[in-house]
Amino acid sequence: MTRTLICNGRIITAVDDYRADILIDSGRIRAIGENLPIDDAEVTRIDASGLYVLPGGVDCHTHLENTFGESTTADDFISGTRAAAFGGTTTIVDFAFQNHDTGVMAAIEAACLRAEGKAAIDYGFHLITTHVDDQSLEDMKHAIRHGGVSSFKMFMAYPGKVMVDDAQIFRAMRLVGEHGGVITLHAENGIVIEQLIREALAQGNTSPRYHALTRPSIMEGEATHRGIRLAELAQAPVYFVHLSAQEALAQVVEARDRGIPVFAETCPHYLFFDDSVYDSDDFDVARYVMSPPLRSRQTQSDLWRALKFDDLQVIATDHCPYCMKEGHLGRIRQKPFGRDDFSKIPNGAPGIEARMTVIHDGGVRAGLISLNRFVELTATAPAKIFGLFPRKGTIAVGSDADLVLFDPLARHVISAEHHHSDCDYNLFEGREVQGKVQKVFLRGELIVDGEQWRGRPGSGQFLRRGETVGF
Ligand code: URP
Ligand code: ZN
Ligand code: ZN
């Protein structure tokens, strides 16, 4: 592999901000310094004057080619990782599914098969655990030690589908915590929500807006409180995915203030959209059908403030795309599957490509978070929490040369017409942003060069993740 020298860039990590050259050799960062004495004949020189040099983004919550119920997400590992790369993300953590009759290791192998030969960026998996017994606990231990999977997602929602009860969560937390892993929770009170859904449908309220009306924020707060108490009893860390509600945030803040190892992510859609989109009976509202749903405008400010002061640690996308048009690129059972019954609309929204640019524009440029905090939230903290640091998530000698050259001044308009996902809509359609990814390197290989795609399906590697660090 050739050596590459990235010159004159402004290197930004979670803690640094300085100008220097970066020498990449054999896929890793070999040296960082001013005017590195390198013979020109030996290297490919890239001029990064005027650009930020950021660590490749780490998106620890994506759903590529994931099947929930009857619907499969619209991006597979080819289109999804290509879109991620154009957005400055070089690592994702997606999901493996353990059903009642699937062993843990078989679930990880099946997930690897979905990605192999397709992924153009590096990837790992959380395991979705839908059933806990003595055998699955043994298997989870094995997955942490030998399978490269150290985090497990459990659902407090969707009864009869993937929901687990409190005893199962507690048992898994105790085991996983003891072995250096972490349980991640989808915190909504599924039983009460199911009752509200039944009542809404019985009253003939079938349009997509009732998705939001039947998933009140107080039920996210309740489940978050319960999840924290279970983790406390189990003496284990816990990570809340897609935190959206003020009531949930208050629980996380209270627990962290008491020194309990509680972590939480929020997602770009909760930071830029609010529940006013649900003020219509139009089916177009289905594009905002995700769980939890969008919350009040006031909650957006609460979430930004929490991101700034480390009450929230991560911004991940929960990229879970379903098309608005049935049959788009051959995708079936997409959003229109629930045209006559909101409870059948596949839950989720796209966002994998827009994350870095919208957070830079709406967060850093708007003065809500610093540039260092932007890197921490989108790369460093998820790498630490999910056992990928310091290989991923920072710019340091020895780390993988996953680098993003980012032009902080370039302006562009986000649109599904130009994005690289196979989803037929973009949540940020028409939004003008300042700041654009110019070049992306994955382990030293240039995979995005302006508008040109130079990545290859299959060049992404499965990441065997280690223990949770950073607390
Ligand atoms: O609506 C969502 N978030 N769909 C994806 C599955 C999940 O719960 O993360
Ligand atoms: Zn979830
Ligand atoms: Zn998700």
Side-chain angles (χ1 to χ4, degrees):
M1 188 183 274
T2 55
R3 305 205 305 166
T4 304
L5 188 67
I6 297 179
C7 314
N8 307 317
R10 183 173 157 194
I11 299 172
I12 317 284
T13 70
V15 289
D16 308 300
D17 185 343
Y18 60 102
R19 271 172 224 288
D21 301 339
I22 299 176
L23 178 65
I24 302 171
D25 192 355
S26 306
R28 299 206 299 174
I29 296 172
R30 187 52 58 98
I32 303 174
E34 286 179 323
N35 306 314
L36 288 175
I38 312 287
D39 181 354
D40 262 9
E42 285 181 24
V43 297
T44 304
R45 223 169 240 278
I46 308 273
D47 184 14
S49 304
L51 304 178
Y52 296 157
V53 184
L54 309 172
V58 177
D59 188 346
C60 59
H61 190 160
T62 65
H63 298 274
L64 302 183
E65 208 179 311
N66 280 192
T67 302
F68 295 100
E70 309 194 56
S71 303
T72 300
T73 53
D75 276 319
D76 64 6
F77 274 81
I78 294 182
S79 62
T81 59
R82 183 183 59 208
F86 271 101
T89 291
T90 50
T91 297
I92 55 170
V93 188
D94 206 273
F95 291 91
F97 296 85
Q98 175 231 336
N99 296 319
H100 286 252
D101 43 316
T102 325
V104 169
M105 294 310 285
I108 297 170
E109 277 160 33
C112 284
L113 282 178
R114 285 193 347 257
E116 267 166 30
K118 291 183 177 173
I121 61 172
D122 290 352
Y123 56 92
F125 296 105
H126 311 280
L127 188 85
I128 290 181
T129 305
T130 59
H131 178 67
V132 176
D133 58 18
D134 290 348
Q135 182 58 49
S136 61
L137 287 172
E138 268 310 303
D139 287 355
M140 285 159 96
K141 194 160 57 174
H142 188 78
I144 297 172
R145 287 194 183 151
H146 308 291
V149 170
S150 48
S151 49
F152 302 84
K153 179 172 179 182
M154 303 184 88
F155 285 85
M156 302 171 90
Y158 305 117
K161 294 176 183 136
V162 288
M163 193 178 99
V164 282
D165 65 27
D166 293 354
Q168 295 187 71
I169 294 171
F170 170 68
R171 290 187 78 191
M173 281 175 163
R174 198 169 47 185
L175 181 285
V176 167
E178 208 176 296
H179 292 87
V182 64
I183 294 293
T184 76
L185 286 180
H186 176 130
E188 289 184 296
N189 184 320
I191 300 287
V192 174
I193 286 169
E194 211 53 28
Q195 177 61 27
L196 296 177
I197 291 172
R198 269 196 302 273
E199 287 173 10
L201 292 174
Q203 287 161 16
N205 295 327
T206 57
S207 70
R209 64 189 298 230
Y210 290 96
H211 169 80
L213 294 173
T214 53
R215 305 188 91 89
S217 57
I218 191 172
M219 287 296 95
E220 185 183 341
E222 184 280 327
T224 305
H225 171 81
R226 195 159 26 103
I228 289 170
R229 290 305 194 172
L230 294 172
E232 256 185 280
L233 189 65
Q235 298 191 327
V238 60
Y239 178 97
F240 291 94
V241 293
H242 48 49
L243 186 145
S244 70
Q246 211 290 324
E247 293 90 333
L249 179 59
Q251 296 300 323
V252 170
V253 171
E254 191 271 341
R256 287 179 64 83
D257 284 351
R258 288 191 293 115
I260 310 294
V262 175
F263 306 93
E265 75 185 21
T266 192
C267 312
H269 40 266
Y270 301 121
L271 297 167
F272 292 101
F273 299 93
D274 63 62
D275 54 6
S276 60
V277 304
Y278 301 122
D279 290 346
S280 159
D281 271 319
D282 202 293
F283 187 73
D284 196 57
V285 166
R287 67 180 60 221
Y288 303 107
V289 167
M290 74 282 284
S291 293
L294 301 171
R295 305 300 190 186
S296 69
R297 207 177 162 80
Q298 174 58 42
T299 308
Q300 288 178 15
S301 325
D302 297 337
L303 295 176
W304 278 114
R305 190 178 172 284
L307 289 166
K308 179 170 177 165
F309 293 110
D310 203 34
D311 291 329
L312 295 174
Q313 290 69 48
V314 171
I315 302 175
T317 60
D318 192 9
H319 178 76
C320 191
Y322 297 100
C323 297
M324 285 298 290
K325 269 190 268 22
E326 197 64 9
H328 177 75
L329 299 177
R331 307 295 193 274
I332 54 166
R333 298 191 203 95
Q334 301 290 292
K335 295 284 188 184
F337 192 60
R339 188 169 283 284
D340 301 320
D341 175 349
F342 72 87
S343 71
K344 293 200 168 72
I345 299 171
N347 289 194
I352 205 166
E353 187 166 348
R355 181 180 68 137
M356 306 288 269
T357 41
V358 293
I359 299 301
H360 172 266
D361 184 67
V364 179
R365 284 195 65 247
L368 298 174
I369 52 170
S370 71
L371 202 46
N372 297 113
R373 185 71 182 143
F374 162 61
V375 171
E376 188 165 24
L377 290 162
T378 56
T380 319
K384 285 183 175 175
I385 292 170
F386 293 112
L388 293 165
F389 185 84
R391 180 176 172 191
K392 305 291 188 187
T394 194
I395 298 176
V397 172
S399 295
D400 280 0
D402 295 349
L403 298 169
V404 175
L405 305 194
F406 189 87
D407 182 346
L409 300 179
R411 298 190 74 85
H412 63 116
V413 176
I414 298 175
S415 161
E417 200 187 328
H418 304 298
H419 75 194
H420 299 85
S421 156
D422 277 353
C423 189
D424 64 352
Y425 76 100
N426 192 308
L427 217 53
F428 294 92
E429 186 71 36
R431 188 183 177 95
E432 188 179 3
V433 288
Q434 182 174 315
K436 194 171 195 311
V437 170
Q438 295 292 4
K439 290 188 195 304
V440 178
F441 295 85
L442 174 74
R443 285 178 274 102
E445 210 181 306
L446 184 63
I447 59 170
V448 171
D449 190 4
E451 303 302 324
Q452 245 190 318
W453 176 231
R454 297 177 56 166
R456 283 174 295 113
S459 60
Q461 290 179 359
F462 173 59
L463 299 168
R464 293 183 171 277
R465 295 184 293 113
E467 291 191 8
T468 295
V469 292
F471 61 90

